[in-house]
Amino acid sequence: MSAPQRLALVTGGHARVGEVISRTLAARGWTVLVHARQGAARAEALARELHGAASPGIWVADLAVPETALAAFEALLARLRETVGEGAEIALIHNASAFENDDRSSVTGARWQMHHAVHYETPVRMMLALAQAFPRGQAVLLLDQNVENLHEQFLSYCLSKGAMHAAMKRLALALAPFRVNAVAPGPTLPLPEADRAAFEAAAQATPLQGAVDPAEVADAVAWLLDARRVTAQTIFVDAGQHLRQWKEPAA
């Protein structure tokens, strides 16, 4: 395999918005290394479709278990330092997400820990490891418009996304010249179990009156990757949803 000069590590990059991000970056010249927690066969098929014989393979880890996920990530970084060299442009796109509903009466320790591991602890530790291995790399974090839209639903989920949003500027400063930015989507794809009509109604209630195309989220990610003098910024791709309090239709 020829050494890629621009390598994007996309967590959850084989499904839903993550797949669109992977395809968009590959079309723009990035070699995409797809992460999956499960569905490795689907991730491998996407990797072969994007890069053929030059595919860098996939990375499988459960981000809800920080220690084992970080060990797998550090092993991946060691391999990349040997195959692509320290001068390669490496980007972590943290798209993987967990999404379970709870409120003040139903928060459990297990659910709390799972959300914070996937959305906060594991990606923070991965960024620290990546910045040490590739100091001029970068990360783009997929957040959620709810970091500025306060409501009582999905409490563990929202708090974990908010923790990452709050930490982003400090990480951008602490890890510089490694860059850290974020994209905060709004109504994009309904969950399989969601009420489609309720989702469409929520999307129509946004100021721009419609759901977000996943390609628009991917375009924002791609723009941040190329914006070499931009760090600690969050782009809201949410049809203005964060400007109005709302109820999650999947509740």
Side-chain angles (χ1 to χ4, degrees):
M1 182 184 79
S2 60
Q5 294 304 303
R6 306 180 83 200
L7 183 61
L9 316 179
V10 184
T11 66
H14 65 303
R16 293 172 59 83
V17 174
E19 179 179 353
V20 178
I21 292 171
S22 295
R23 291 183 182 278
T24 297
L25 297 184
R28 298 189 184 196
W30 288 83
T31 296
V32 178
L33 200 157
V34 177
H35 157 268
R37 178 179 66 87
Q38 55 188 10
R42 181 174 177 181
E44 289 172 349
L46 177 61
R48 289 193 300 270
E49 179 184 345
L50 295 179
H51 301 300
S55 169
I58 67 169
W59 165 47
V60 178
D62 185 351
L63 304 186
V65 186
E67 295 299 334
T68 56
L70 187 64
F73 188 67
E74 289 177 336
L76 171 64
L77 293 179
R79 175 166 65 86
L80 293 178
R81 282 174 64 88
E82 294 181 357
T83 57
V84 304
E86 296 182 19
E89 186 174 355
I90 308 292
L92 171 66
I93 294 86
H94 182 58
N95 160 80
S97 183
F99 192 68
E100 293 184 6
N101 196 6
D102 57 14
D103 58 25
R104 65 180 184 178
S105 65
S106 60
V107 173
T108 65
R111 185 177 288 130
W112 172 275
Q113 291 169 6
M114 181 268 293
H115 282 101
H116 279 72
V118 173
H119 301 148
Y120 183 71
E121 180 180 353
T122 300
V124 166
R125 295 177 70 182
M126 288 195 300
M127 283 188 285
L128 293 172
L130 179 57
Q132 183 173 0
F134 295 92
R136 294 193 175 276
Q138 61 177 306
V140 176
L141 311 169
L142 272 292
L143 298 177
D144 190 299
Q145 58 80 37
N146 69 53
V147 298
E148 289 197 4
N149 181 0
L150 302 182
H151 57 75
E152 71 278 11
Q153 297 172 287
F154 292 84
L155 190 58
S156 296
Y157 170 85
C158 291
L159 288 173
S160 63
K161 291 283 190 175
M164 178 59 80
H165 188 230
M168 185 184 62
K169 290 184 179 181
R170 189 174 297 275
L171 289 168
L173 183 60
L175 301 181
F178 185 96
R179 296 194 294 120
V180 184
N181 290 294
V183 175
T188 306
L189 295 174
L191 294 173
E193 65 273 17
D195 183 322
R196 171 71 68 166
F199 174 84
E200 294 296 339
Q204 287 298 319
T206 63
L208 299 185
Q209 300 177 351
V212 175
D213 189 317
E216 296 174 305
V217 176
D219 285 344
V221 171
W223 184 86
L224 285 169
L225 292 179
D226 287 337
R228 298 183 181 278
R229 291 296 179 264
V230 175
T231 195
Q233 300 299 312
T234 300
I235 298 177
F236 284 80
V237 187
D238 68 342
Q241 189 174 50
H242 71 283
L243 302 173
R244 294 177 177 170
Q245 192 172 35
W246 70 300
K247 290 290 186 179
E248 168 60 53

